């Protein structure tokens, strides 16, 4: 019997363990954490006779005869114990690669990018499914990829497409994954605490597109456009209809035009912001390359309501919109959020800080934010940044609950149009993930909406 070990007991680790067990492997799991959710998942796997060690750091020397090591996305690829495992000849892959090995008989649409990939993935999945295809979303959105693989195996129901949102972490740990279509949405500095340099981050993202049979790029992204010579056969999109790109997909008047044909009116898209028009072009371009007819694309777009935690309108109180943009975990994403909503804005920002250039975000705050409420570990450093640019209309409130409590009074005082949670930070200082942070914000707002 082949033996596998899973590192990381999140959604991905749980799915990978179950998939391997179903296929006859002897499986063990470890996680260095000890939280309640991990204990619950430990109990779930115990029902499948899969032993789980919590508060445990994997050591390849103490795990003899190991055939496969599978790591969850949150586990750094270059940890010394993983490097040692590879030096011992233990095959080491990520959960996404494991899913690919079980689902490669159907085509994949792989979507990556610093920002925009979740919305693009959700749009693409909605279009493919609206056309009658069995094409679930997975990865950073929807199910873990291995969960799809397990369900397809158990039910003996082949998929038409896999629509996968892939982070740099998942790409880095995938050795053979080869999508039929690859999309690159945007590229700006992010995750440099893990990837060290911008060039390395770019190289990892590029790996997915290099492996894809067909490539789609957002030509309005400055970095990607400046590197277009690297991608001579790519399909480019542009809401600016940049003639230097000869875009495959563009906007002409009110229409999304792909390969010269009008596909859908831009007015059918119910999400605000030019960035969402860019996401729409990418998703529609992929649908056309996959052979989906314009009528099906238009109908799916008209019914699409957006992505939770990304400029999600929670509701309106006294003509003030409360918007959840918890997925804005870096400065660039937060900039997009801030410039996409009605202003003046009461902005709630802060959390677990990331490296990056905050200059443009700070400039947008000066233009559009009436007041900023600061939360989490980043509050003090954000306050200092605001002081340095001469912006004094802020307050450190510490928690999301405190921020929501005072936001209504401030919105009335400053005649603000929007209260926006757009943190420009990760969530791990106060919440397990950005989804929980957004859900808490939603629940706090729903008390008075």
């Amino acid at each position: 019997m082949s033996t596998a070990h899973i590192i990381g007991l999140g959604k991905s680790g749980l799915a990978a363990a179950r998939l391997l067990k179903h296929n006859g492997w002897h499986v063990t799991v470890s996680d260095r954490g000890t939280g309640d959710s991990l204990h619950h998942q430990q109990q779930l796997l115990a029902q499948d006779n899969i032993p789980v060690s919590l508060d445990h750091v994997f050591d390849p020397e103490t795990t003899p005869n190991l055939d496969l090591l599978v790591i969850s996305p949150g586990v750094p690829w270059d940890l010394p114990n993983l490097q040692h495992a590879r030096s011992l000849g233990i095959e080491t892959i990520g959960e996404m690669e494991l899913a690919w090995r079980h689902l490669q008989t159907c085509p994949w649409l792989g979507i990556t990018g610093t920002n925009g990939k979740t919305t693009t993935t959700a749009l693409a999945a909605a279009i493919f499914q609206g056309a009658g295809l069995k094409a679930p979303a997975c990865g950073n959105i929807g199910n873990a990829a291995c969960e799809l693989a397990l369900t397809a195996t158990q039910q003996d129901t082949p998929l038409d497409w896999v629509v996968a949102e892939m982070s740099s972490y998942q790409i880095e740990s995938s050795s053979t994954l080869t999508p039929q279509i690859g999309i690159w949405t945007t590229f700006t500095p992010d995750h440099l605490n893990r990837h060290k340099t911008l060039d390395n981050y770019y190289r990892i993202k590029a790996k997915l597109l290099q492996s894809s049979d067909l490539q789609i790029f957002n030509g309005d992204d400055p970095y990607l456009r400046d590197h277009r010579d690297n991608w001579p056969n790519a399909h480019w999109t542009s809401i600016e209809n940049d003639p230097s790109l000869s875009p495959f997909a563009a906007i002409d008047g009110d229409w999304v035009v792909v390969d010269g044909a009008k596909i859908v009116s831009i007015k059918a898209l119910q999400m605000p912001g030019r960035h969402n028009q860019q996401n729409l072009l990418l998703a529609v371009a992929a649908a056309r390359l996959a052979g989906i007819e314009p009528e099906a694309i238009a109908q799916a777009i008209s019914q699409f309501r957006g992505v939770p935690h990304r400029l999600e309108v929670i509701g309106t109180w006294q003509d003030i919109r409360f918007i959840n943009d918890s997925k804005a975990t870096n400065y660039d994403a937060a900039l997009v959020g801030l410039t996409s909503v009605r202003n003046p804005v009461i902005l709630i920002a802060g959390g677990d800080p990331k490296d990056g250039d905050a200059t443009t975000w700070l400039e947008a705050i000066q233009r559009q934010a009436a007041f900023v409420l600061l939360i989490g570990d980043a509050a003090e450093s954000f306050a200092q940044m605001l002081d340095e640019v001469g912006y004094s209309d802020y307050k450190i409130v510490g928690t999301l609950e405190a921020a929501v409590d005072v936001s209504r009074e401030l919105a009335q005082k400053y005649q603000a149009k929007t209260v926006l949670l757009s943190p420009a930070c990760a969530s791990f200082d106060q919440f397990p993930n950005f989804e929980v942070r957004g859900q808490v914000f939603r629940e706090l707002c729903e008390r008075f909406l």
Side-chain angles (χ1 to χ4, degrees), residues 39-59:
H39 280 288
H40 175 66
Q41 290 177 322
Q42 181 185 41
Q43 293 170 358
L44 290 176
L45 288 181
Q47 298 172 11
D48 296 326
N49 294 316
I50 299 174
V52 176
S53 301
L54 299 180
D55 193 20
H56 177 83
V57 177
F58 169 76
D59 181 356

Side-chain angles (χ1 to χ4, degrees), residues 40-311:
H40 175 66
Q41 290 177 322
Q42 181 185 41
Q43 293 170 358
L44 290 176
L45 288 181
Q47 298 172 11
D48 296 326
N49 294 316
I50 299 174
V52 176
S53 301
L54 299 180
D55 193 20
H56 177 83
V57 177
F58 169 76
D59 181 356
E61 294 288 355
T62 61
T63 313
N65 303 318
L66 188 62
D67 298 296
L68 183 66
L69 185 61
V70 181
I71 65 170
S72 298
V75 179
W77 185 243
D78 58 354
L79 286 176
N81 57 343
L82 299 187
Q83 293 178 347
H84 186 39
R86 292 192 284 269
S87 73
L88 294 174
I90 300 172
E91 185 179 18
T92 305
I93 63 173
E95 180 262 347
M96 186 70 73
E97 169 72 13
L98 179 64
W100 161 255
R101 296 182 181 188
H102 289 81
L103 287 173
Q104 58 184 294
T105 55
C106 74
W108 282 49
L109 169 59
I111 300 160
T112 195
T114 308
N115 298 308
K117 57 184 178 292
T118 296
T119 301
T120 303
T121 302
L123 274 166
I127 295 170
F128 280 54
Q129 292 166 20
L133 297 172
K134 191 174 180 61
C138 69
N140 282 5
I141 181 174
N143 299 311
C146 281
E147 190 175 345
L148 292 186
L150 178 59
T151 301
T153 301
Q154 289 175 328
Q155 299 178 359
D156 194 24
T157 53
L159 302 177
D160 296 310
W161 280 84
V162 173
V163 182
E165 177 187 344
M166 299 186 198
S167 70
S168 56
Y169 304 165
Q170 290 162 317
I171 298 168
E172 188 176 34
S173 58
S174 296
S175 55
T176 67
L177 195 155
T178 308
Q180 175 73 18
I181 302 173
I183 294 177
W184 195 336
T185 61
T186 56
F187 185 76
T188 52
D190 197 14
H191 305 304
L192 297 188
N193 57 334
R194 174 151 161 177
H195 298 313
K196 310 307 181 189
T197 68
L198 190 65
D199 285 345
N200 192 42
Y201 181 42
Y202 179 88
R203 180 186 59 78
I204 293 168
K205 292 285 192 186
K207 177 182 172 184
L208 178 71
L209 277 294
Q210 289 163 346
S211 300
S212 301
D213 294 338
L214 299 170
Q215 305 155 344
I216 304 172
F217 287 84
N218 171 15
D220 297 321
D221 181 272
Y223 198 99
L224 296 179
R225 187 174 60 248
D226 288 348
H227 288 75
R228 61 184 179 272
D229 290 346
N230 295 340
W231 309 99
N233 300 315
H235 298 78
W236 292 88
T237 69
S238 174
I239 65 172
E240 308 292 347
N241 208 349
D242 183 347
S244 70
L245 290 169
S246 300
F248 175 69
I251 294 177
D252 184 3
D254 289 335
W255 285 90
V256 171
V257 176
V258 179
D259 202 19
K262 291 182 177 180
I263 305 299
V264 59
S265 170
I266 199 69
K267 295 178 180 178
L269 183 66
Q270 300 181 47
M271 297 182 295
R274 291 170 62 81
H275 67 290
N276 279 322
Q277 294 178 7
Q278 292 170 333
N279 297 334
L280 176 64
L281 284 186
L282 294 164
V284 173
R288 290 300 294 140
L289 289 176
I292 297 175
E293 296 299 325
E295 295 78 10
I297 295 173
Q299 182 174 2
I301 296 304
S302 67
Q303 297 173 348
F304 188 76
R305 293 294 180 268
V307 177
H309 314 298
R310 189 61 175 127
L311 291 172

Side-chain angles (χ1 to χ4, degrees), residues 1-15:
M1 179 183 292
S2 298
T3 301
H5 184 79
I6 316 293
I7 301 179
L9 186 55
K11 179 173 70 172
S12 297
L14 188 74

